[in-house]
């Protein structure tokens, strides 16, 4: 790679970029201070309404009237409706009064606004008397990673801390499953299905695989056609559009109408099945624990579903670990037979570029030190990267090196370093104890 490619424009480019980054950092601090100040003012407005009702020995209805009046007054200044302001006042009081430690961490720059939102959203599922305990653990976790990565982990933490079991609460929530039709504009509508998470993930994954198969077939035909432009023009739909069309076909006709190469009732597209990566603690698998299981570091699923998937199918990639020690105790049913790939999927869980959470099953295994330049194919030189960040590593001035324990150290074009630890829970393998009298394996 040439020096010009690594530093476009030379020193002027890097100087300009450094200035932009510094400005962004300053502006981010100013914005955070203003957002916190606004929350405190709105919370004060809510307390004023409450105090007015108490001083007048008012009933609930009069208190609500006082709040509406104040919200209308503030709404006039903000040029928004009193309903919107009243909702924001309620949210502000919850954040400022219910999660003060998170606000303090935000104010000091240890976490950002999206971290606070993730903490509040997860913490609100717990009784109010448990918020402070949850908040302390959640802040520590948020300081180590981006909001999109910690959100699922915070949800699981809240579920495990809840006095009622996750299985019991999931059963109640599942009773509310439904399909809703929301009319839209220009002859369009939203069809919304509220389903157990693992079912929804499986549906979306299968649709995605089918859409990609159609798009890939279209591109292959275009490449082999003498009139490639005409072939592509005849079907220029995006992956999102194809996914929606397949969804409609499956519900209306029971088979993808787009599958013009089918030779069975289902066709090649119909043979595609969903893939979902689930982490199941050993205690949950055996039934001694009813805590939630982790759906590829995204969101929790109920233990009964996880046990069913673990026992009844061979297409699920299973990782069972001890929730106390984090040590892996069993792995099986991985579709890729390579032990190295299984270990990497278990260790990485998602793309290893800072902030990215594309699941490992959607990523490419990349040689940290390029194989063409002598990099070895070994665990200490391999990590999962999604296509976007794999390309960025190859064609921009971003650089990465791998340290012990699967830690990646990324360096930006400006020389800033970003440490990317292996996701928790870390995977570790321990050898079985040898029978008495036999030497230990090596």
């Amino acid at each position: 790679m040439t020096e010009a490619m690594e530093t476009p424009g030379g020193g002027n480019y890097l100087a300009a970029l450094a200035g932009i980054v510094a400005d962004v950092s300053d502006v981010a601090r100013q914005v955070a201070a203003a957002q916190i100040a606004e929350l405190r003012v709105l919370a004060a407005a809510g307390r004023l309404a409450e105090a007015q009702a108490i001083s007048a020995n008012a009933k609930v209805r009069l208190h609500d009237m006082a709040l509406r009046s104040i919200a209308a007054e503030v709404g006039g200044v903000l040029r928004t409706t009193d309903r919107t302001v009243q909702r924001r006042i309620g949210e502000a009081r919850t954040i400022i009064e219910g999660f003060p430690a998170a606000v303090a961490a935000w104010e000091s720059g240890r976490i950002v606004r999206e971290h606070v939102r993730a903490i509040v959203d997860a913490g609100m599922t717990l009784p109010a008397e448990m918020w402070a305990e949850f908040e302390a653990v959640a802040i520590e976790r948020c300081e180590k990673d981006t909001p999109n990565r910690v959100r699922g982990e915070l949800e699981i933490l809240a579920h495990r801390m809840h006095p009622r079991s996750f299985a019991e609460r999931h059963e109640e929530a599942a009773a509310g499953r439904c399909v809703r039709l929301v009319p839209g504009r220009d002859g369009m509508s939203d069809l919304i299905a509220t389903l157990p998470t693992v079912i929804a993930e499986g549906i979306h994954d299968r649709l995605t695989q089918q859409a990609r198969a159609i798009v890939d077939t279209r591109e292959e035909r275009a490449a082999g056609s003498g009139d490639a432009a005409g072939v592509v023009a005849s079907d220029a739909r995006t992956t999102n559009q194809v996914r929606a069309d397949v969804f409609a076909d499956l519900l209306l006709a029971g088979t993808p109408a787009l599958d013009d190469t089918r030779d069975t009732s289902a066709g090649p597209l119909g043979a595609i099945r969903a893939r979902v990566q689930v982490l199941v603690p050993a205690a949950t698998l055996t039934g001694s624990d009813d805590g939630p299981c982790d759906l590829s570091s995204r969101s929790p699923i109920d233990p009964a579903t996880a046990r069913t998937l673990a026992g009844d199918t061979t297409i699920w990639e299973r990782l069972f670990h001890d929730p106390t020690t984090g040590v892996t105790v069993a792995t099986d049913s991985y579709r890729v037979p390579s032990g190295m790939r299984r270990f990497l999927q278990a260790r990485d869980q998602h793309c290893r570029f800072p902030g990215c959470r594309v699941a490992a099953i959607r990523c490419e295994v990349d040689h940290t030190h390029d194989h063409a330049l002598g990099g070895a194919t070994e665990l200490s030189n391999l990590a999962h990267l999604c296509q976007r960040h794999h390309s960025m590593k190859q064609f921009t001035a971003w650089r990465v090196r791998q340290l012990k324990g699967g830690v990646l150290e990324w360096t930006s074009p400006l020389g800033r370093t970003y440490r990317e630890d292996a996701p928790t829970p870390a995977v570790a393998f321990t050898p079985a104890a040898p029978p008495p009298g036999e030497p230990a394996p090596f």
Side-chain angles (χ1 to χ4, degrees):
M1 186 175 292
T2 64
E3 182 66 24
M5 184 179 294
E6 293 181 357
T7 56
N12 291 337
Y13 164 79
L14 291 179
L17 179 58
I20 290 173
V21 171
D23 289 345
V24 167
S25 179
D26 290 341
V27 170
R29 284 193 292 268
Q30 295 171 21
V31 169
Q35 290 171 337
I36 294 170
E38 182 184 48
L39 285 175
R40 286 179 171 151
V41 169
L42 291 175
R47 290 193 296 271
L48 177 61
E50 185 177 24
Q52 183 178 356
I54 293 175
S55 63
N57 195 24
K59 296 181 180 179
V60 173
R61 179 175 176 80
L62 293 180
H63 168 254
D64 186 58
M65 290 299 106
L67 184 57
R68 290 185 191 183
S69 177
I70 291 174
E73 190 76 54
V74 175
V77 175
L78 296 180
R79 299 174 68 91
T80 189
T81 67
D82 58 296
R83 291 179 182 272
T84 298
V85 173
Q86 187 169 344
R87 173 181 55 79
R88 290 174 60 184
I89 286 174
E91 293 173 348
R93 292 199 67 179
T94 298
I95 295 171
I96 295 297
E97 299 169 15
F99 298 86
V103 175
W106 177 17
E107 193 168 28
S108 65
R110 293 156 53 201
I111 61 177
V112 298
R113 181 180 187 176
E114 290 74 16
H115 281 129
V116 176
R117 173 53 58 194
I119 292 173
V120 173
D121 288 346
M124 286 287 288
T125 63
L126 292 167
E129 60 269 18
M130 300 183 68
W131 288 356
E133 179 185 357
F134 168 79
E135 185 182 25
V137 180
I139 292 171
E140 183 179 356
R141 181 65 189 93
C142 285
E143 289 176 334
K144 300 176 182 178
D145 222 327
T146 56
N148 62 323
R149 282 189 179 174
V150 301
R151 181 174 290 274
E153 186 174 338
L154 296 186
E155 289 178 0
I156 290 179
L157 173 63
H159 286 310
R160 289 197 172 278
M161 292 179 63
H162 203 285
R164 295 176 62 206
S165 74
F166 181 83
E168 180 183 357
R169 287 177 286 124
H170 171 75
E171 183 177 357
E172 290 182 3
R177 61 192 180 278
C178 62
V179 177
R180 306 184 302 283
L181 181 65
V182 181
R185 297 179 178 177
D186 303 322
M188 303 296 289
S189 294
D190 292 325
L191 184 65
I192 303 173
T194 300
L195 299 165
T197 298
V198 69
I199 301 298
E201 286 280 347
I203 290 172
H204 189 269
D205 181 84
R206 189 180 183 211
L207 289 172
T208 298
Q209 291 186 66
Q210 291 175 321
R212 286 176 177 169
I214 292 171
V215 172
D216 290 345
T217 300
R218 178 185 68 195
E219 293 176 350
E220 289 173 3
R221 289 177 179 173
S225 171
D227 184 16
V231 173
V232 174
S234 66
D235 186 1
R237 292 167 301 169
T238 65
T239 300
N240 269 335
Q241 291 170 335
V242 175
R243 182 162 42 209
D245 292 341
V246 172
F247 175 75
D249 284 343
L250 289 173
L251 288 179
L252 293 175
T255 185
L258 296 168
D259 189 3
D260 58 359
T261 61
R262 60 183 180 274
D263 52 12
T264 68
S265 60
L269 286 182
I272 292 175
R273 292 295 179 265
R275 299 178 301 170
V276 183
Q277 186 176 0
V278 183
L279 305 182
V280 186
T284 301
L285 187 68
T286 60
S288 60
D289 178 79
D290 260 345
C293 300
D294 188 4
L295 183 59
S296 191
S297 297
R298 293 184 63 175
S299 60
I301 65 171
D302 65 290
T305 297
R307 293 189 197 107
T308 300
L309 294 172
D312 293 347
T313 180
T314 60
I315 65 173
W316 285 78
E317 298 178 351
R318 302 189 283 184
L319 169 65
F320 310 138
H321 66 277
D322 187 317
T324 302
T325 65
V327 175
T328 298
V329 296
T331 59
D332 63 359
S333 297
Y334 280 90
R335 292 178 298 103
V336 179
S338 168
M340 181 179 291
R341 185 176 292 272
R342 291 201 302 269
F343 178 91
L344 290 168
Q345 286 186 343
R347 184 196 72 183
D348 292 345
Q349 300 183 34
H350 49 64
C351 172
R352 297 296 307 285
F353 187 83
C356 185
R357 60 181 301 176
V358 174
I361 58 176
R362 304 262 183 271
C363 296
E364 304 161 350
V365 177
D366 171 67
H367 288 76
T368 306
H369 178 52
D370 195 343
H371 185 263
L373 300 178
T377 304
E378 57 187 16
L379 294 176
S380 60
N381 191 49
L382 297 172
H384 282 88
L385 295 180
C386 67
Q387 187 176 34
R388 172 187 176 87
H389 294 123
H390 194 179
S391 298
M392 206 168 80
K393 172 178 174 284
Q394 289 179 298
F395 301 114
T396 75
W398 279 85
R399 295 292 177 265
V400 62
R401 65 174 183 144
Q402 188 162 165
L403 309 178
K404 292 182 179 180
V407 174
L408 299 186
E409 185 180 78
W410 289 86
T411 302
S412 76
L414 291 179
R416 294 171 177 263
T417 58
Y418 300 88
R419 179 186 170 101
E420 170 71 6
D421 290 336
T424 54
V427 175
F429 294 92
T430 57
E438 290 189 14
F442 57 90

